[in-house]
Amino acid sequence: MAKFGLSQPVRRIEDPRLLIGGGRYTDDIVMQGVAHGVVLRSPHAAATILSIDTAPALAVPGVLAVITGKDWEAEGLGEIPCVIPLKNKDGSSRADTPRGALATDRVRHVGDPVAFVVAETPKAARDGAEAVMVEYDVLPAATDLATAHQPGAPLVWDNIPNNIVFDWETGDKAKAEALVGQAAHVTRLTVVNNRVIVNSMEVRAATAEYDSANEKFTLFCGTQGSWLVKNLLAETVFKLPPEKFRVVTPDVGGGFGMKLYLYAEYALVCMAARRLGRPVKWTSERTEAFLSDTQGRDNITEAELALDKEGKFLALRTTNYAGMGAYLSTFAPMIPTGAGTKVLASVYNFQAIHANVIGVLTNTVPVDAYRGAGRPESNYVVERLIDAAARETGIDRIELRRRNMVPPSAMPYITAVGQRYDSGDFAAVLEAALKNADWSGFAARRAASEAKGKRRGIGLAYYLEATGGGPTERAEVRFAADGMVDVLVGTQSTGQGHETAYAMLTSHELGIPMEKIRIVQGDSDEIPTGGGTGGARSLYSEGQAILLTAATVIEKGKQAASEHLEASVADIEFTTTGGRFSVVGTDRGVDILSLANIQRERAARGESATLLDAAEVAEIKSHTFPNGCHVAEVEVDPDTGLIEVPRYVVVDDVGHAINPMIVRGQVHGGVAQGIGQAVHEKTAYDPESGQLLSASFMDYAVPRAEDLPDIEVEFLSVPCETNPLGVKGAGEAGAVGSPPALMNALVDALSTMGVTHVDMPATPESVWKAIAMAKAA
């Protein structure tokens, strides 16, 4: 069993391998005879393709093939799909944005793939791509979310009026409207949730080979679950049975939602490998990633909060303009609608909520799930709105939250948007955060900053997350011939520490030393099904599957032990201490690893033997609702607008933390990304040309180590009631609570100067302008 058991801060077992360069990422995979692909991308945000001349490229030494959209269509290949159906509020279906792997008649954003050049070397492929002659007729582009849906804006798709790809609603519209009408006070606020570029440490890459004898593709690529990519490639693109595809995901260096999807490049290397009869490899460059990886957020939300005369919340109404980019990505319509709106109630008691989400197309890179996937955006609106209501009503912002929090006695609680919270003590978490942050002592810290000519503010945000993902998950335990125990899982680690968490859990259930456990993931041939990683689902989903599988192993082990010890199955007991099967009331027994080896050897000799290997699929009947409170302090230089974050405190309820060290690291990473979005990361498109102006790390500011404070994290655990581990998903929590906490702190810092609102990203320029405008007013 694990040396310290569950709930202990066990160091990650995967780190030694990764830190000494033992990781094996997609670009590390080298195949004999591999050719190299380069994607020629559109330099224009909107244009008609008049002609493509590939002859000059084919004349470049080393170039093997130049594939265009016409070639794609000629092979009868299908589209890169959006898999989310959606009904508009009038009952009609959402519009569609059909997309092949390569553009044929029109390009719709800078970076849109136009041709795929394959050559003997990367240099030859790049030279070939530069030689392809494409004639464009440049068209007006719509890149500004705020204006793209207005009459007269350039159309991204001619058949989609006003660039509105869907107009969706949820909640009780009539009741919310009535409550707003009778409210003692209504706070109205419009907030921007800025578009962010994901920038995982490992760029996307893909290598494919084709076995012509068996007519089977093998694709190596960095994903968040091989099975989604496999099924979409087979069924939608190549229109072949799924068994004709094997997708292998090796180590992955960061995902954050962006690596969930089927991308054009994955299909292109498969097509090229079949056409050329040799492996084909493509690896993105960083600027190419800025132009081709799905991006995140991009919302403008108009919100109303209705309160009675006692400061109790009555209703919440939101209209959210959600940027989709030029095409609907795999899950894109679900992110601001079903995923985002289910947490609009947060931890508060609303009588009614109505949300209208309007999907807007622009001539920009497609937008899809990014860490939190809709839930950070909704929490941001609610927490900014509550602070604004506190200022307008004169009610203390902490007291206003206290008055409206759902109490533990109300659990299980059904929210105004129909979500069932099984557990939570929101007030206790709030109080712990205030204490840890020394909220009552802030005045002294503010005075000290003012003495230095700085403005200091404190802000908080309470967040609630709703985890997501597929309805089942699979686990398998195999006792290998080398004495190791393989645990095959259907999720995919992209750096979270899954290997450690799953090994801890398996060790705890079966009494097997962690060093004897090997986690296997990512190969769709070896592991037949899997729900992948996304929506903070991995531990509570895969954990349930591991528990079921371990229970089956123990039952099979009792049968095997009865055969080996010549005793009745009813007399066999199992103890996790040492992982031992024994005959009740005697000292006769055998440990689980020895028993597995004995039974395997018996089977190899042709003798009757019960093997301990087992596989189970768990039904995931309920999701989880992690929650917590973030408290941020910021210090602002009013002469330059420069922001520093001297202190940051988090108190989280993630249920039962299997490994608090890993959870704390997840929170740290999420907060870092939230700080990045709030005060650093600005995705800027030129309004005239549609060019991405922030297309490299020279122009796009991700936070550096010196930009981040020490992040103090404490856990106040209220076990989840809907899964046997009592866990709540924690992978996205840090990114959910941090942006509103920081922005509320910033407004607090600038409030004495007359500033009442600032939008993200709060760059020095935008802060300085807000101060100047307040002075001028």
Side-chain angles (χ1 to χ4, degrees):
M1 137 173 86
K3 183 176 180 182
F4 301 106
L6 298 184
S7 305
Q8 299 299 314
V10 177
R11 290 185 178 275
R12 299 186 355 159
I13 61 177
E14 52 267 76
D15 285 354
R17 172 177 64 87
L18 298 173
L19 291 172
I20 65 172
R24 185 172 184 256
Y25 299 88
T26 302
D27 191 57
D28 295 326
I29 296 168
V30 179
M31 296 182 182
Q32 186 174 4
V34 67
H36 299 268
V38 167
V39 179
L40 175 66
R41 299 184 182 277
S42 169
H44 306 294
T48 300
I49 299 175
L50 300 178
S51 65
I52 301 177
D53 184 0
T54 63
L58 289 168
V60 172
V63 169
L64 302 170
V66 181
I67 298 170
T68 67
K70 299 298 184 183
D71 298 319
W72 182 267
E73 292 178 343
E75 290 201 13
L77 301 179
E79 298 171 0
I80 308 298
C82 170
V83 301
I84 303 299
L86 198 73
K87 292 292 185 181
N88 295 314
K89 63 185 181 182
D90 64 3
S92 62
S93 297
R94 65 161 175 82
D96 204 6
T97 57
R99 174 170 52 155
L102 297 166
T104 53
D105 301 318
R106 189 163 166 180
V107 292
R108 291 181 166 85
H109 69 87
V110 174
D112 214 351
V114 175
F116 189 57
V117 180
V118 186
E120 296 285 359
T121 66
K123 182 182 184 303
R126 286 192 293 269
D127 291 345
E130 290 179 3
V132 176
M133 303 299 293
V134 185
E135 184 180 3
Y136 296 98
D137 180 17
V138 179
L139 302 170
T143 59
D144 181 14
L145 174 62
T147 59
H149 56 88
Q150 296 176 0
L155 295 181
V156 181
W157 292 79
D158 292 339
N159 62 326
I160 302 179
N162 297 322
N163 294 316
I164 295 177
V165 69
F166 60 81
D167 186 351
W168 178 92
E169 67 179 354
T170 190
D172 192 331
K173 182 177 181 179
K175 186 176 181 180
E177 185 175 359
L179 289 168
V180 170
Q182 70 187 46
H185 181 82
V186 179
T187 292
R188 295 178 172 87
L189 186 68
T190 299
V191 296
V192 173
N193 214 286
N194 49 310
R195 178 187 283 241
V196 291
I197 297 169
V198 180
N199 282 313
S200 57
M201 186 176 292
E202 180 205 18
V203 293
R204 288 190 300 112
T207 299
E209 61 180 349
Y210 181 68
D211 179 354
S212 57
N214 295 303
E215 298 182 331
K216 183 169 182 174
F217 295 90
T218 297
L219 172 68
F220 294 85
C221 61
T223 78
Q224 291 176 226
S226 297
W227 301 271
L228 174 70
V229 172
K230 167 185 171 174
N231 291 335
L232 292 180
L233 269 176
E235 297 168 3
T236 307
V237 177
F238 285 87
K239 302 171 186 175
L240 293 170
E243 58 267 23
K244 292 298 183 180
F245 281 84
R246 177 191 180 201
V247 176
V248 180
T249 300
D251 288 319
V252 181
F256 313 115
M258 179 269 289
K259 289 180 181 169
L260 275 167
Y261 319 115
L262 172 63
Y263 286 91
E265 298 86 0
Y266 304 165
L268 287 168
V269 292
C270 290
M271 175 190 180
R274 183 171 66 177
R275 173 177 281 201
L276 295 174
R278 59 190 290 186
V280 175
K281 177 179 184 177
W282 166 83
T283 299
S284 175
E285 296 182 350
R286 181 61 64 179
T287 294
E288 186 177 14
F290 275 81
L291 301 176
S292 63
D293 296 350
T294 60
Q295 298 175 0
R297 313 297 189 231
D298 201 20
N299 292 181
I300 299 174
T301 308
E302 301 166 356
E304 296 176 306
L305 174 61
L307 305 90
D308 68 14
K309 62 182 180 179
E310 304 298 329
K312 294 291 186 70
F313 297 165
L314 298 174
L316 174 67
R317 295 199 299 187
T318 63
T319 300
N320 180 19
Y321 294 92
M324 295 286 103
Y327 302 94
L328 291 181
S329 178
T330 309
F331 295 129
M334 182 183 71
I335 306 309
T337 58
T341 60
K342 66 181 179 181
V343 298
L344 274 174
S346 186
V347 298
Y348 307 109
N349 185 9
F350 291 96
Q351 294 183 32
I353 291 176
H354 177 255
N356 180 201
V357 183
I358 299 170
V360 180
L361 299 173
T362 55
N363 292 109
T364 61
V365 176
V367 174
D368 211 314
Y370 173 68
R371 198 168 191 170
R375 282 89 76 185
E377 296 90 314
S378 291
N379 276 274
Y380 183 76
V381 170
V382 171
E383 290 298 309
R384 292 296 307 276
L385 199 55
I386 292 174
D387 261 31
R391 287 192 298 272
E392 293 174 3
T393 62
I395 302 172
D396 177 79
R397 50 187 163 158
I398 305 299
E399 175 58 25
L400 187 57
R401 288 173 169 86
R402 285 192 186 114
R403 289 184 192 181
N404 290 284
M405 282 181 164
V406 176
S409 59
M411 300 297 170
Y413 176 78
I414 307 298
T415 73
V417 286
Q419 297 297 303
R420 182 185 184 274
Y421 299 167
D422 64 278
S423 59
D425 192 341
F426 311 137
V429 171
L430 172 65
E431 298 306 320
L434 296 174
K435 179 182 177 181
N436 291 1
D438 186 23
W439 187 276
S440 61
F442 173 71
R445 299 192 293 279
R446 170 173 269 172
S449 293
E450 289 179 351
K452 299 184 298 181
K454 303 291 182 67
R455 302 291 174 139
R456 194 176 186 116
I458 190 169
L460 89 160
Y462 206 107
Y463 79 88
L464 178 132
E465 239 270 81
T467 58
T472 62
E473 194 49 81
R474 181 185 186 275
E476 182 175 355
V477 172
R478 296 178 186 168
F479 291 82
D482 63 359
M484 297 291 287
V485 178
D486 290 333
V487 180
L488 288 72
V489 299
T491 56
Q492 179 64 51
S493 174
T494 60
Q496 302 93 327
H498 287 182
E499 292 179 40
T500 305
Y502 297 158
M504 288 177 68
L505 184 55
T506 305
S507 175
H508 182 268
E509 293 299 307
L510 297 179
I512 299 168
M514 281 183 63
E515 59 270 20
K516 288 289 187 180
I517 297 171
R518 186 166 48 204
I519 304 302
V520 180
Q521 58 184 349
D523 188 331
S524 68
D525 268 12
E526 190 168 17
I527 305 166
T529 62
T533 291
R537 73 181 293 270
S538 292
L539 183 57
Y540 82 88
S541 296
E542 191 65 61
Q544 292 183 65
I546 289 174
L547 289 183
L548 277 179
T549 306
T552 300
V553 169
I554 292 170
E555 289 305 308
K556 296 180 77 172
K558 289 180 177 179
Q559 177 63 44
S562 75
E563 297 167 6
H564 175 65
L565 299 172
E566 297 180 343
S568 168
V569 173
D571 291 333
I572 300 295
E573 64 179 358
F574 178 74
T575 56
T576 56
T577 303
R580 186 172 176 81
F581 293 94
S582 58
V583 180
V584 176
T586 74
D587 60 358
R588 297 172 59 224
V590 60
D591 69 86
I592 190 170
L593 292 178
S594 297
L595 179 62
N597 186 55
I598 290 167
Q599 296 299 95
R600 184 174 56 251
E601 290 179 350
R602 291 179 62 182
R605 294 193 298 266
E607 300 174 18
S608 175
T610 300
L611 300 178
L612 275 62
D613 296 358
E616 296 287 352
V617 175
E619 290 187 34
I620 312 303
K621 298 179 180 179
S622 301
H623 298 304
T624 71
F625 297 93
N627 61 91
C629 186
H630 290 223
V631 180
E633 291 188 29
V634 302
E635 195 175 62
V636 183
D637 183 341
D639 295 328
T640 64
L642 185 66
I643 298 171
E644 294 183 0
V645 185
R647 192 160 189 210
Y648 203 99
V649 171
V650 181
V651 176
D652 272 333
D653 168 19
V654 295
H656 177 203
I658 300 296
N659 187 328
M661 182 184 293
I662 290 179
V663 179
R664 190 169 280 108
Q666 286 287 288
V667 175
H668 286 171
V671 170
Q673 285 179 284
I675 290 174
Q677 180 181 4
V679 300
H680 295 284
E681 300 181 38
K682 183 173 184 178
T683 306
Y685 282 92
D686 180 75
E688 297 297 325
S689 67
Q691 294 294 324
L692 179 61
L693 302 178
S694 53
S696 76
F697 286 137
M698 294 293 291
D699 303 296
Y700 187 85
V702 295
R704 299 160 296 182
E706 66 179 6
D707 298 318
L708 301 174
D710 288 335
I711 301 166
E712 305 169 42
V713 180
E714 180 182 323
F715 301 118
L716 196 161
S717 297
V718 180
C720 183
E721 300 290 339
T722 59
N723 68 76
L725 288 169
V727 301
K728 301 174 184 178
E732 297 171 327
V736 180
S738 44
L742 284 156
M743 297 305 291
N744 282 341
L746 176 60
V747 172
D748 182 58
L750 302 181
S751 60
T752 57
M753 306 179 73
V755 176
T756 60
H757 180 69
V758 182
D759 273 319
M760 298 188 294
T763 61
E765 178 188 17
S766 64
V767 172
W768 185 89
K769 285 182 176 179
I771 294 170
M773 291 176 64
K775 287 180 179 178

